[in-house]
């Protein structure tokens, strides 16, 4: 819903009304495979984006460029190619909200990390956090995944062995089975 505090005829309300249509499409196609998402976006979202582009071009001529709204419109104009690229690839999302949610704990905790003693320690922490979030994004439970990796890594003898331990290569069942067998022992 458009914010009830906004006047329906305001520039912001007009933009939000159009953008909401794009998000409705995304909600409807969320579970589809990437190629079907791409095709649906081409059929349904691209015409709405064209409508938004026409609205933007008109609004740019009506709003003083140094006003807050003018600056927001100029930003939208400048970022247009970035905004619309998601329609070309079904693997992409309409926004980066999932990434922002994933990094929130690290952003909140960054003051605690200001006191990393060494560059190597900071790099090691960054690598570990990256690995944990990549595991989550690939459907792995981070603790079980790390247990599997730390157990298998010393046995790895080739680059291929190590690559098989990457989060998108490790099968969820093998991680969970490994964890269950450890708990039973």
């Amino acid at each position: 819903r458009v914010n009830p505090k906004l006047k329906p005829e305001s520039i912001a309300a007009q933009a939000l009304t159009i953008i909401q249509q794009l998000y409705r499409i995304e909600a409807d196609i969320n579970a589809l495979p990437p190629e079907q998402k791409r095709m649906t976006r081409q059929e349904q979202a691209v015409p709405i984006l064209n409508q938004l582009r026409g609205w933007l071009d008109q609004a740019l001529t009506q709003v003083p460029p140094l006003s807050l709204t003018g600056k927001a419109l100029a930003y939208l104009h400048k970022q247009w190619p970035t905004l619309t690229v998601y329609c070309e690839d079904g693997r992409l999302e309409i926004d980066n909200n999932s990434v922002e949610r994933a990094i929130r704990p690290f952003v909140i905790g960054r003051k605690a990390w200001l006191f990393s003693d060494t560059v190597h320690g900071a790099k090691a922490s960054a690598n570990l956090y990256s690995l944990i979030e990549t595991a989550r994004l690939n459907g792995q439970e981070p603790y079980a995944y790390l247990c599997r990796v730390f157990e298998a890594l010393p046995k790895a003898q080739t680059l291929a062995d190590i690559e098989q331990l990457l989060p998108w290569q490790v099968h969820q069942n093998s991680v969970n089975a490994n964890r269950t067998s450890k708990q039973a022992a």
Side-chain angles (χ1 to χ4, degrees), residues 19 23 26 86 92-105 107 133 137:
I19 292 168
Y23 275 89
E26 291 304 302
Y86 83 100
L92 301 178
E93 295 183 29
I94 192 171
D95 57 39
N96 66 346
N97 290 344
S98 61
V99 172
E100 290 186 14
R101 277 191 301 277
I103 66 171
R104 184 174 291 124
V107 171
E133 289 306 317
L137 286 172

Side-chain angles (χ1 to χ4, degrees), residues 12 16 25 27 37 40-41 54 88 105 107 122 144-145 156 170 179 183:
L16 287 174
I25 293 168
K37 282 184 180 181
T40 303
R41 288 172 179 163
E88 303 299 322
V107 171
Y145 169 74
V170 175
R179 186 174 186 195
Q183 290 173 343

Side-chain angles (χ1 to χ4, degrees), residues 4-177:
K5 294 179 183 178
L6 293 176
K7 295 178 183 174
E9 68 279 358
S10 72
I11 296 284
Q14 292 172 18
L16 287 174
T17 299
I18 298 170
I19 292 168
Q20 284 176 337
Q21 295 174 45
L22 296 169
Y23 275 89
R24 279 190 213 106
I25 293 168
E26 291 304 302
D28 291 343
I29 65 173
N30 186 40
L32 295 178
E35 184 55 25
Q36 284 184 295
K37 282 184 180 181
R38 187 192 67 75
M39 289 174 17
T40 303
R41 288 172 179 163
Q42 290 294 312
E43 293 171 6
Q44 296 178 22
V46 168
I48 295 169
L49 285 166
N50 290 337
Q51 176 189 357
L52 181 61
R53 183 69 228 194
W55 171 88
L56 174 62
D57 291 340
Q58 181 180 359
L60 282 168
T61 65
Q62 298 173 346
V63 176
L66 296 180
S67 69
L68 290 177
T69 302
K71 290 178 182 179
L73 293 173
Y75 179 79
L76 177 58
H77 173 71
K78 182 179 176 184
Q79 296 298 320
W80 190 258
T82 306
L83 168 70
T84 58
V85 74
Y86 83 100
C87 288
E88 303 299 322
D89 188 337
R91 297 171 298 169
L92 301 178
E93 295 183 29
I94 192 171
D95 57 39
N96 66 346
N97 290 344
S98 61
V99 172
E100 290 186 14
R101 277 191 301 277
I103 66 171
R104 184 174 291 124
F106 307 111
V107 171
I108 292 170
R110 79 175 142 211
K111 283 190 178 181
W113 303 320
L114 287 175
F115 303 102
S116 285
D117 291 2
T118 66
V119 171
H120 293 295
K123 284 182 180 178
S125 293
N127 288 335
L128 181 60
Y129 298 135
S130 179
L131 187 60
I132 288 170
E133 289 306 317
T134 303
R136 276 195 184 120
L137 286 172
N138 283 277
Q140 307 289 341
E141 193 280 314
Y143 179 78
Y145 169 74
L146 289 174
C147 287
R148 166 88 195 287
V149 168
F150 291 145
E151 183 177 295
L153 194 56
K155 300 172 190 169
Q157 296 187 3
T158 66
L159 179 59
D161 293 341
I162 294 170
E163 287 176 345
Q164 288 302 308
L165 299 174
L166 293 171
W168 53 89
Q169 299 286 2
V170 175
H171 297 292
Q172 182 67 33
N173 293 339
S174 66
V175 172
N176 290 335

